[in-house]
Amino acid sequence: MNYLDYHVVLPELDKTNDFIFETVTTDFSNPKKVKKVSYTRKIAITRYKNNGNDMLLQLFLFEIEIRSNLSIENIFFLKKIGSAFDEIEVEINDYGKIIKILNFEELGKRWEIIRAKLAIDNVGLVAESFMQNITNSLKEEHKIISLFSDYKMFGLYFSSLYRNSYAVERKRKIIDCDGTLVAERFYPKDEKLDAYLIEGIPVENNEKNDFIKYEGRIEYRDDQIELATLEIEKEKSTILYNINKTSL
């Protein structure tokens, strides 16, 4: 279906909705030492109006938790990086897609302060490369929009905003899968339109695209997202994205 066929269902104006975003990765390339990491964020999302524009959303991160069955180095480092994006203001279009970061310059300044502090205790090529990638992204707004729109950030939530009574096909790159381009199919479970299913396959076949499973589900209550999940299973790893609404 054409992108223009999408239909956006917006959250209530000036109402804050609380969510838990969770990404769980499991690496079983070594059967004797399976590694499972859970990255959880508590996020408050509010749609607001300014200068007559009511397509504005604030995303406020108020807690990060990282857990694993094995030891993880530099948890503090990872949390501090996450805190650089603890308050984001975006504008979306009529199809639920992010088109502008309203506080883009502020994010860049905030990151430079955090980076300077992290650089004191986090040295080495890996840490420096990681931080430089974020710096580069914050130089161009379209790059940070792509990051925020990815499933590892807020993509599953924004995907929930547009839906239709018929199946819609779309393509997206998945950062956690080495930027693999996936063709998704997003369609209602039944005529009630209170649950939608997601399925997908990689656009190109190569050795990196060892997909076994790509399935998701988004459920609604009173026309607003209640929960969402997407599971990607590969030969030696799995990724699970979850969103749960915790406020009434």
Side-chain angles (χ1 to χ4, degrees):
M1 292 299 174
N2 189 291
Y3 186 72
L4 296 178
D5 292 329
Y6 287 19
H7 174 64
V8 66
V9 180
L10 295 172
E12 183 179 338
L13 195 63
D14 294 326
K15 179 181 178 181
T16 298
N17 294 299
D18 296 329
F19 296 90
I20 294 178
F21 286 62
E22 181 183 38
T23 300
V24 181
T25 59
T26 305
D27 181 349
F28 43 89
S29 55
N30 182 354
K32 296 181 179 180
K33 199 174 184 180
V34 174
K35 184 176 182 179
K36 185 174 183 179
V37 180
S38 172
Y39 183 71
T40 303
R41 296 167 293 155
K42 293 183 179 180
I43 297 176
I45 300 178
T46 308
R47 174 173 161 248
Y48 66 99
K49 185 175 183 178
N50 186 37
N51 293 328
N53 187 349
D54 62 356
M55 304 290 282
L56 312 177
L57 293 173
Q58 180 195 60
L59 297 92
F60 181 72
L61 167 68
F62 55 91
E63 185 176 327
I64 299 175
E65 183 178 3
I66 303 174
R67 293 174 296 175
S68 177
N69 61 320
L70 302 175
S71 62
I72 305 177
E73 296 181 358
N74 298 326
I75 287 183
F76 176 79
F77 175 75
L78 295 173
K79 286 187 175 182
K80 286 298 292 182
I81 287 177
S83 70
F85 306 111
D86 60 1
E87 186 174 347
I88 302 166
E89 296 178 356
V90 304
E91 179 182 354
I92 61 174
N93 62 15
D94 290 336
Y95 316 111
K97 184 179 180 181
I98 300 174
I99 57 173
K100 186 175 181 60
I101 308 296
L102 302 176
N103 60 338
F104 177 67
E105 293 186 5
E106 178 187 335
L107 289 177
K109 294 176 182 178
R110 188 190 309 165
W111 166 243
E112 287 306 317
I113 293 172
I114 291 175
R115 176 176 178 168
K117 293 179 179 179
L118 287 173
I120 297 173
D121 298 317
N122 298 274
V123 296
L125 292 177
V126 175
E128 180 58 32
S129 176
F130 197 92
M131 292 189 289
Q132 187 60 45
N133 286 338
I134 296 176
T135 299
N136 292 340
S137 295
L138 284 165
K139 290 179 180 178
E140 300 181 58
E141 188 177 6
H142 73 92
K143 289 184 177 180
I144 207 69
I145 287 176
S146 295
L147 174 61
F148 291 162
S149 300
D150 190 83
Y151 284 144
K152 72 180 299 174
M153 291 293 286
F154 309 107
L156 197 53
Y157 173 81
F158 286 102
S159 292
S160 76
L161 296 180
Y162 46 83
R163 47 202 173 109
N164 243 314
S165 58
Y166 46 79
V168 175
E169 294 182 357
R170 57 197 180 192
K171 294 178 181 179
R172 68 160 62 236
K173 289 185 177 180
I174 308 296
I175 291 178
D176 284 333
C177 294
D178 300 316
T180 296
L181 183 64
V182 173
E184 289 184 337
R185 185 169 178 264
F186 182 77
Y187 59 98
K189 179 177 178 291
D190 52 40
E191 66 278 0
K192 295 180 181 179
L193 305 181
D194 57 2
Y196 281 69
L197 304 179
I198 305 170
E199 57 186 31
I201 57 172
V203 173
E204 296 181 357
N205 292 320
N206 57 54
E207 59 183 13
K208 290 185 178 180
N209 296 340
D210 53 342
F211 283 69
I212 298 172
K213 180 180 180 181
Y214 189 105
E215 295 179 358
R217 181 184 179 97
I218 300 175
E219 296 185 6
Y220 300 87
R221 177 181 296 179
D222 298 328
D223 277 337
Q224 297 303 318
I225 178 176
E226 186 73 12
L227 62 88
T229 184
L230 175 66
E231 182 177 7
I232 302 173
E233 181 181 348
K234 304 180 77 175
E235 288 185 3
K236 297 180 180 180
S237 64
T238 61
I239 307 170
L240 181 65
Y241 302 103
N242 282 321
I243 301 177
N244 286 283
K245 185 170 180 285
T246 57
S247 60
L248 298 177

